[in-house]
């Protein structure tokens, strides 16, 4: 047999490990897992220790429940270069502000350093972090995260070494890893930490093994720690205890990035959005009003479109029957000369307006401050031009 043929024969007879591929990629599965946690528990304050390039924070900023995001990493300057813009408010964030405030802060620092600015958080994540700690730092880690920061929940992920033999090279997955635990080792460590600091812990993971190797478990093993609470019937998670008044302030971290997002909790943004929505509704009502008046003057047969229900309903506006009924009971829009008026009691019935303000009194107060919003003298209706080319008549 020729040499080349012999080499091909030898390669074909040597057993080769199946290539393990994860779809979506394993790092995305880990981030999606945290997103699911946030969706389920609705934490307001979230910190990611060892945040790397802050990709996870970029994903979590879109969650409406989150009001404070913090990332901590030793290599923050280098890792932030390409993601700082993604963490900053965009033009769209100003045109469509969030309901709640959101601040994002990135620190340069270590997960085993105490910093009082991380006290009182609902959720702290440590995604593929602990395996980078040497034995000295690993010993400090539980006291800092669980004892000092003491958040309501902690999510820790780390490689599962039981899975490693399925890879072509059965070594550490990263040259910087100081260790990689199997399932028994991780669960033993996590259970001891949970017991010591009054947490519960449950184990799961991402990156399911192939059917022929289910015994190895997930490629990434995950521990979900929840602070124990005295009353199981209260909030779903125990409130974090890191906001202890007696704790002296410790600022070991260095701030390298901050961002604050526009929200409806900020009055000038609320005014902007409210005036925009009100003017949209008023203009849409005006156009429908003029169309109905033209039909009446043309002596066309009346239809449902000519009734008050027809004035309320329009293409693109989705209302329930109850909402339509509520609007129909409210004072009707009217025109006087070249002016058109929509009562505030009617506007408050439209969902996009009602979402922003709960009652007519608040609507009146805010619209009185809005520019270029005009109200009638009694401050009971929004006033706009009817348009002299349409109907300079009185249709009260």
């Amino acid at each position: 047999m020729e040499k080349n043929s012999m080499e091909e024969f030898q390669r074909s007879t040597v057993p080769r490990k199946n290539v393990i591929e994860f779809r979506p990629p394993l790092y995305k599965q880990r981030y999606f897992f945290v997103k699911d946690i946030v969706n389920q528990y609705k934490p307001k304050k979230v910190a990611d220790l060892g945040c790397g390039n802050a990709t996870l924070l970029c994903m979590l900023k879109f969650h409406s429940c989150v009001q404070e995001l913090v990332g901590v990493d030793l290599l923050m300057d280098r890792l932030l270069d390409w993601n700082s813009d993604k963490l900053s408010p965009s033009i769209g964030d100003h045109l469509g502000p969030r309901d709640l405030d959101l601040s994002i802060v990135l620190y340069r620092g270590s997960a085993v350093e105490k910093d009082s600015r991380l006290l009182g958080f609902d959720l702290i994540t440590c995604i593929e972090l602990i395996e980078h700690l040497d034995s000295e730092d690993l010993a400090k880690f539980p006291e800092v995260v669980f004892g000092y920061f003491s958040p309501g929940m902690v999510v820790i992920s780390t490689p599962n070494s039981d899975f490693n033999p399925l890879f072509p090279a059965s070594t550490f997955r990263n040259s910087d890893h100081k260790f990689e635990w199997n399932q028994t080792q991780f669960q033993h460590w996590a259970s001891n930490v949970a017991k010591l600091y009054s947490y519960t812990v449950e184990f799961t993971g991402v990156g399911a093994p192939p059917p022929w190797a289910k015994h190895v478990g997930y490629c990434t093993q995950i521990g979900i720690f929840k602070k124990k609470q005295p009353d199981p019937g209260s909030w779903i998670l125990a409130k974090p205890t890191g906001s202890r008044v007696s704790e002296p302030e410790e600022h070991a971290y260095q701030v390298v990035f901050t961002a604050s997002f526009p929200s409806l909790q900020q009055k000038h943004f609320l005014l902007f959005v409210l005036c925009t929505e009100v003017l949209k509704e008023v203009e849409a009502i005006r156009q429908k009003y003029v169309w109905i008046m033209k039909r009446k003057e043309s002596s066309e047969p009346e239809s449902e479109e000519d009734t008050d229900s027809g004035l309320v309903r329009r293409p693109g506006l989705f209302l329930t029957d109850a909402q339509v009924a509520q609007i129909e009971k409210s004072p009707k829009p009217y025109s006087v000369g070249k002016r058109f008026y929509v009562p505030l009691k009617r506007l408050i019935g439209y969902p996009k307006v009602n979402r922003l303000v709960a009652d007519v009194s608040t609507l009146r107060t805010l619209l009185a401050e809005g520019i270029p919003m005009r109200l009638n003298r009694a401050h009971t209706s929004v006033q706009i031009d009817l348009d002299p080319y349409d109907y300079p008549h009185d249709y009260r």
Side-chain angles (χ1 to χ4, degrees):
M1 189 178 289
E2 294 181 359
K3 183 178 180 181
N4 288 344
S5 300
M6 177 62 75
E7 290 176 351
E8 291 175 5
F9 173 76
Q10 290 174 341
R11 284 198 298 267
S12 66
T13 56
V14 173
R16 291 184 296 177
K17 297 181 179 180
N18 295 327
V19 177
I20 305 294
E21 292 185 0
F22 296 105
R23 295 183 182 179
L26 197 57
Y27 79 93
K28 287 188 177 181
Q29 292 189 40
R30 291 190 284 261
Y31 292 159
F32 292 157
F33 181 90
V34 175
K35 281 171 58 68
D36 289 342
I37 289 287
V38 172
N39 281 330
Q40 181 178 358
Y41 293 98
K42 310 296 183 187
K44 294 180 180 179
K45 302 176 67 174
V46 181
D48 185 27
L49 304 184
C51 66
N53 58 20
T55 298
L56 178 58
L57 300 182
C58 290
M59 297 170 69
L60 296 183
K61 75 173 187 176
F62 294 104
H63 288 258
S64 59
C65 63
V66 177
Q67 295 182 258
E68 185 173 349
L69 280 175
V70 166
V72 180
D73 202 286
L74 282 170
L75 304 176
M76 186 60 72
D77 289 341
R78 188 179 71 190
L79 296 169
L80 187 60
D81 288 344
W82 67 276
N83 251 353
S84 59
D85 289 344
K86 295 182 181 180
L87 291 172
S88 302
S90 64
I91 294 177
D93 291 316
H94 286 84
L95 295 177
R98 296 165 47 93
D99 287 352
L100 302 175
D101 288 336
L102 170 64
S103 65
I104 299 178
V105 182
L106 299 182
Y107 296 109
R108 185 192 301 109
S110 167
V112 296
E113 292 178 303
K114 294 180 179 180
D115 192 299
S116 57
R117 289 169 292 188
L118 262 70
L119 297 176
F121 273 65
D122 302 303
L123 171 64
I124 287 182
T125 61
C126 306
I127 307 303
E128 306 299 277
L129 168 68
I130 60 173
E131 64 273 12
H132 294 273
L133 303 178
D134 59 29
S135 58
E136 182 179 347
D137 285 343
L138 184 63
K140 297 177 184 176
F141 177 83
E143 167 55 26
V144 173
V145 175
F146 294 90
Y148 181 74
F149 295 151
S150 190
M153 177 182 283
V154 180
V155 174
I156 296 177
S157 80
T158 191
N160 169 22
S161 65
D162 288 335
F163 200 101
N164 288 355
L166 302 185
F167 292 122
S170 299
T171 58
F172 282 0
R173 302 180 195 177
N174 186 296
S175 59
D176 186 57
H177 288 183
K178 307 303 186 294
F179 62 89
E180 289 183 1
W181 280 333
N182 61 33
Q183 296 170 89
T184 301
Q185 291 170 318
F186 176 58
Q187 292 179 17
H188 177 74
W189 174 85
S191 298
N192 285 340
V193 168
K195 182 178 180 180
L196 181 61
Y197 294 99
S198 297
Y199 280 77
T200 62
V201 61
E202 57 186 85
F203 300 99
T204 182
V206 294
W212 45 269
K214 288 187 177 296
H215 62 283
V216 303
Y218 292 103
C219 186
T220 293
Q221 50 190 338
I222 297 174
I224 305 171
F225 301 79
K226 300 175 185 175
K227 178 173 280 296
K228 291 181 179 179
Q229 51 186 349
D231 178 13
S234 61
W235 190 40
I236 193 165
L237 285 178
K239 292 183 179 180
T241 58
S243 54
R244 298 179 291 268
V245 177
S246 59
E247 286 283 357
E249 286 194 357
E250 297 185 50
H251 290 182
Y253 300 156
Q254 179 183 356
V255 177
V256 296
F257 175 86
T258 62
S260 180
F261 281 67
S263 84
L264 298 179
Q265 291 185 307
Q266 300 162 34
K267 190 172 182 180
H268 56 293
F269 286 112
L270 175 60
L271 278 175
F272 169 75
V273 174
L274 178 63
C275 290
T276 300
E277 291 299 337
V278 166
L279 287 174
K280 283 181 182 178
E281 293 294 351
V282 170
E283 176 58 20
I285 295 170
R286 183 198 71 81
Q287 291 180 10
K288 193 68 179 287
Y289 177 90
V290 169
W291 181 82
I292 291 174
M293 294 303 105
K294 284 183 177 180
R295 279 180 55 84
K296 288 183 177 180
E297 280 207 345
S298 66
S299 301
E300 292 185 27
E302 283 197 10
S303 67
E304 186 179 351
E305 288 293 311
D306 300 324
T307 64
D308 191 35
S309 178
L311 183 60
V312 173
R313 298 182 185 274
R314 63 177 186 270
L317 178 63
F318 301 100
L319 298 171
T320 64
D321 291 340
Q323 289 171 331
V324 171
Q326 178 186 349
I327 295 173
E328 288 178 345
K329 291 178 183 177
S330 65
K332 295 176 174 55
Y334 61 93
S335 63
V336 178
K338 297 181 179 181
R339 300 286 181 262
F340 178 67
Y341 302 88
V342 180
L344 300 184
K345 289 183 178 180
R346 173 158 287 228
L347 284 170
I348 200 71
Y350 287 87
K352 288 187 176 181
V353 176
N354 186 254
R355 186 183 78 84
L356 299 170
V357 289
D359 55 76
V360 173
S361 176
T362 305
L363 178 61
R364 179 185 298 112
T365 301
L366 291 173
L367 291 183
E369 301 179 30
I371 299 174
M373 190 63 61
R374 289 183 295 172
L375 300 179
N376 62 355
R377 290 184 180 179
H379 281 203
T380 58
S381 300
V382 173
Q383 168 192 322
I384 64 171
D385 292 336
L386 180 63
D387 191 336
Y389 296 103
D390 285 333
Y391 273 87
H393 304 298
D394 189 342
Y395 285 111
R396 297 188 66 134

